[in-house]
Amino acid sequence: MSWTTSADLRAQVMRLWERGLLLGGLVEGESPFPRRLILKSPSSSELAERFDEVRAWINELRQARHCRVTMREVRHRTLGANAIPDEVWIDTLDDALALIGKTREARRYAELVALSRERQPKLLPWLARYPLKALELAEEWPRLLDVVGWLQVHPRPGVYLRQIDLPGIHTKFIEAHRATLNAMLDLALPAASIEPEAGGSFCRRYGFKDKPQRVRFRVLDPAHALLSVAADQDVALNSEAFAQLKLAISRVFITENETNFLAFPALPASLAIFGAGYGFETLAPAPWLQRCAVHYWGDIDTHGFAILDQLRAVLPHARSFLMDRETLMAHRALWGVEPKPERRDLFRLDREERALYDDLRDNRLGRNLRLEQERIGFGWVEAAAQALLKGTSKN
């Protein structure tokens, strides 16, 4: 049966709830009621052919609670005059809430609005736009307001999140609610307290100290080791300290695989950096890298070339290492499958790199083909490194 039932009426009101239309108006004292609901009623032919079903349908609608049903008279040549539902209205917000069983939730939301109006009135637009999200956060809402208030008193505090001295507030609480706090703080704080160019960094955006970004590296030439010990030196420095290094280094290798980083062969005046994926902002502050020959070694797949493309935004002179067609074809037996290939155009690749990237992206050599860097024979790696020193490599 396609006629509107009492369950359909509840479903219509529930959709209004899910869209935030029932609660959002409470902030400004606005109401979407009275509101007429959609009503699908029997046709004239159905009235005659299914009269008993129509009568049962009419009785059900007239008994629907919290709805106002208006009737109209229909005259039929064989059935005579009959009154059938013409419109269904929800007259008040209270009726709508009672119909879908949300009265208690609405009362809780009103308490959140009142608390926010008293403590942080600048957040009322957020509450109006995201009422259901506010209800999800009802237990945490007073503490979220505490954080906002603390930052208003301590703009761009220059401390770690751990140092916010408020009851029940700790680093994990802020991290768990970072997206909500972003929206709240952007409304409640003056523009001077917000760093708009911070990207996704909550700490940078609101002036907290952030966990230091570290660069992990190995000096590949024992003659230039940082420490006067014979052991292999796997070192991590924060970005600022790395930028201040003064080493007689002329060649740098960046590799994405930790084992390859640890096993990279010794080379004169050279250094290896563990890249660990997208993001090279830790290298940007080091001016001496601009004076070095930089070689990037990633997987031969679409993401490997995408990372190379991103690296060149920081170090435009970086060259690829073992990411060429010859290396790929020599290791055909070790090819694998890339789970989610990159599809976008990359504009910082050179002609040969772009040609290979396009072949991989467009599946000309095989579907979602990849050669992971750790599958390349170590002898091949050593030979390629030595060729670089002799100036005979195209990498």
Side-chain angles (χ1 to χ4, degrees):
M1 183 174 69
S2 61
W3 314 330
T4 299
T5 66
S6 56
D8 295 328
L9 299 177
R10 285 193 296 273
Q12 289 184 51
V13 177
M14 182 58 75
R15 285 193 289 272
L16 297 175
W17 170 270
E18 292 168 349
R19 291 166 57 193
L21 297 181
L22 298 190
L23 296 181
L26 290 176
V27 174
E28 298 299 333
E30 300 173 352
S31 173
F33 299 99
R35 188 183 187 98
R36 188 174 67 179
L37 301 181
I38 297 172
L39 177 66
K40 296 180 181 179
S41 56
S43 65
S44 178
S45 61
E46 288 175 324
L47 182 63
E49 296 167 3
R50 303 167 62 182
F51 184 74
D52 288 340
E53 293 178 63
V54 171
R55 186 166 55 185
W57 171 77
I58 293 172
N59 288 334
E60 184 206 8
L61 283 192
R62 297 189 76 168
Q63 293 174 18
R65 299 180 61 192
H66 311 295
C67 298
R68 175 167 56 88
V69 181
T70 64
M71 309 293 286
R72 66 184 172 91
E73 186 178 88
V74 175
R75 292 186 174 274
H76 196 276
R77 60 186 179 184
T78 58
L79 298 176
N82 290 274
I84 68 169
D86 180 41
E87 295 177 341
V88 178
W89 289 80
I90 303 292
D91 287 329
T92 67
L93 175 62
D94 288 342
D95 286 333
L97 295 170
L99 179 63
I100 59 175
K102 296 293 186 181
T103 300
R104 184 174 62 180
E105 288 86 343
R107 190 177 301 118
R108 185 74 175 102
Y109 176 75
E111 293 170 356
L112 298 178
V113 171
L115 179 63
S116 302
R117 194 182 304 278
E118 176 186 347
R119 295 181 53 185
Q120 294 292 342
K122 291 183 179 180
L123 299 183
L124 292 176
W126 188 92
L127 282 165
R129 186 172 182 182
Y130 303 106
L132 299 190
K133 181 64 177 177
L135 277 176
E136 291 177 15
L137 296 168
E139 292 300 320
E140 293 85 4
W141 193 253
R143 287 188 290 166
L144 292 170
L145 295 182
D146 288 342
V147 174
V148 173
W150 189 90
L151 271 165
Q152 288 173 329
V153 176
H154 305 88
R156 304 200 66 79
V159 300
Y160 290 106
L161 293 176
R162 177 69 178 83
Q163 294 173 269
I164 296 179
D165 192 14
L166 290 171
I169 305 300
H170 46 78
T171 304
K172 288 186 177 179
F173 176 83
I174 293 176
E175 289 177 347
H177 301 292
R178 182 176 300 179
T180 300
L181 282 169
N182 267 333
M184 295 172 71
L185 292 170
D186 282 357
L187 286 172
L189 296 181
S193 297
I194 301 170
E195 173 50 64
E197 304 300 323
S201 173
F202 181 90
C203 291
R204 283 182 53 204
R205 187 170 184 83
Y206 303 110
F208 288 95
K209 287 184 179 180
D210 207 350
K211 182 172 66 175
Q213 295 180 307
R214 299 189 179 278
V215 181
R216 184 179 172 188
F217 64 97
R218 292 176 58 233
V219 178
L220 302 175
D221 186 346
H224 300 294
L226 292 179
L227 302 174
S228 57
V229 294
D232 182 69
Q233 296 175 25
D234 179 355
V235 179
L237 295 176
N238 65 42
S239 180
E240 292 76 11
F242 181 78
Q244 299 302 316
L245 280 178
K246 299 186 184 302
L247 295 172
I249 294 297
S250 60
R251 193 178 300 276
V252 172
F253 295 87
I254 302 173
T255 180
E256 297 300 316
N257 179 270
E258 186 174 27
T259 300
N260 285 343
F261 162 76
L262 294 171
F264 206 92
L267 293 171
S270 298
L271 178 145
I273 294 175
F274 182 37
Y278 289 96
F280 295 98
E281 63 274 7
T282 55
L283 304 181
W288 56 270
L289 284 175
Q290 303 291 342
R291 302 189 296 269
C292 295
V294 177
H295 306 275
Y296 173 76
W297 181 17
D299 296 332
I300 303 181
D301 62 11
T302 61
H303 282 282
F305 283 111
I307 296 171
L308 171 63
D309 180 84
Q310 188 178 61
L311 171 63
R312 284 186 175 142
V314 177
L315 298 170
H317 64 295
R319 303 178 65 184
S320 59
F321 178 71
L322 294 177
M323 296 178 68
D324 55 88
R325 194 177 300 269
E326 179 185 357
T327 300
L328 176 65
M329 303 311 293
H331 294 78
R332 180 188 294 268
L334 300 174
W335 289 358
V337 175
E338 186 177 20
K340 295 181 179 180
E342 181 64 75
R343 299 299 182 192
R344 60 191 170 92
D345 291 331
L346 304 177
F347 299 103
R348 300 187 186 97
L349 303 183
D350 66 24
R351 182 175 56 83
E352 292 184 5
E353 293 162 352
R354 185 176 295 111
L356 182 52
Y357 170 74
D358 287 342
D359 285 348
L360 294 170
R361 177 181 61 170
D362 299 334
N363 294 319
R364 295 173 188 148
L365 301 174
R367 182 164 182 78
N368 297 349
L369 176 69
R370 76 183 307 193
L371 174 62
E372 295 174 276
Q373 57 186 277
E374 61 265 34
R375 294 176 177 267
I376 297 173
F378 192 69
W380 190 279
V381 177
E382 291 181 307
Q386 291 300 318
L388 278 178
L389 297 182
K390 296 175 183 177
T392 61
S393 170
K394 65 181 179 181
N395 286 300

